[in-house]
Amino acid sequence: MEPDILELESFLPYRLYRLADTVSREFSRIYKERHGLTRPEWRTLSGLGERGTMTATELGEQSAMHKAKVSRAVAELERRRWLTRTADENDRRVEHLALTRAGLAAYREMVPLAKAFEGELLARLSVEERVAIVNGVAALERALSCS
């Protein structure tokens, strides 16, 4: 008897990964062209832009990035003077990260571009498909407790 074969092209986790990667790469062209940012740098910039001050650990959890990627992104944004680090008063091993004025300006410049990208992406779908994808993703997030 032949073992079962997993057809990756119809395996939902594989399809979701490929779709997320494709969408992320397409959007990355915008921030790469505008600011020369990598995906981890964008995720760091956008996380801090949305939430304000965060630790590297919080950034990693929020963005699902490995701590090494967070560390490199933080170092690059700091080199650009887009980010500052402040030591925690109670635990010197912890640093609080925040955007500088220049970092916040770059973030604010990107927000309308990100929203336009999302709008253009969703405009490729019918109204019914948009509702289905938004609801389907939300349902999976709830089911996997990642929202």
Side-chain angles (χ1 to χ4, degrees):
M1 178 179 231
E2 228 178 276
D4 286 340
I5 293 175
L6 177 65
E7 293 180 26
L8 286 177
E9 299 305 321
S10 61
F11 183 55
L12 184 61
Y14 180 76
R15 292 176 66 202
L16 289 171
Y17 167 76
R18 293 273 313 261
L19 179 60
D21 189 61
T22 299
V23 170
S24 180
R25 285 184 190 281
E26 195 169 316
F27 179 57
S28 75
R29 291 185 193 128
I30 296 170
Y31 54 78
K32 176 120 177 123
E33 180 181 296
R34 198 72 151 204
H35 293 291
L37 294 171
T38 64
R39 285 195 278 181
E41 290 162 5
W42 162 249
R43 289 177 187 158
T44 300
L45 180 74
S46 62
L48 290 171
E50 177 189 6
R51 299 209 178 156
T53 303
M54 297 173 76
T55 66
T57 300
E58 290 167 338
L59 261 170
E61 290 169 358
Q62 182 257 345
S63 63
M65 283 193 297
H66 187 273
K67 63 183 178 180
K69 284 190 177 192
V70 172
S71 179
R72 285 191 295 272
V74 165
E76 176 56 23
L77 295 179
E78 185 178 39
R79 187 193 67 73
R80 291 175 180 235
R81 301 187 196 290
W82 284 10
L83 174 150
T84 59
R85 304 176 195 231
T86 305
D88 187 274
E89 293 177 8
N90 301 318
D91 185 347
R92 301 303 253 169
R93 298 170 297 175
V94 175
E95 293 179 321
H96 298 277
L97 310 170
L99 295 180
T100 62
R101 283 191 181 136
L104 195 53
Y107 169 73
R108 287 183 176 150
E109 178 189 336
M110 289 301 303
V111 168
L113 299 175
K115 289 181 178 183
F117 174 82
E118 180 184 39
E120 290 166 12
L121 182 66
L122 290 172
R124 298 176 192 180
L125 306 175
S126 70
V127 172
E128 295 81 14
E129 289 169 329
R130 280 181 242 160
V131 169
I133 192 88
V134 168
N135 290 341
V137 168
L140 278 172
E141 288 172 335
R142 282 190 305 276
L144 298 170
S145 301
C146 60
S147 58

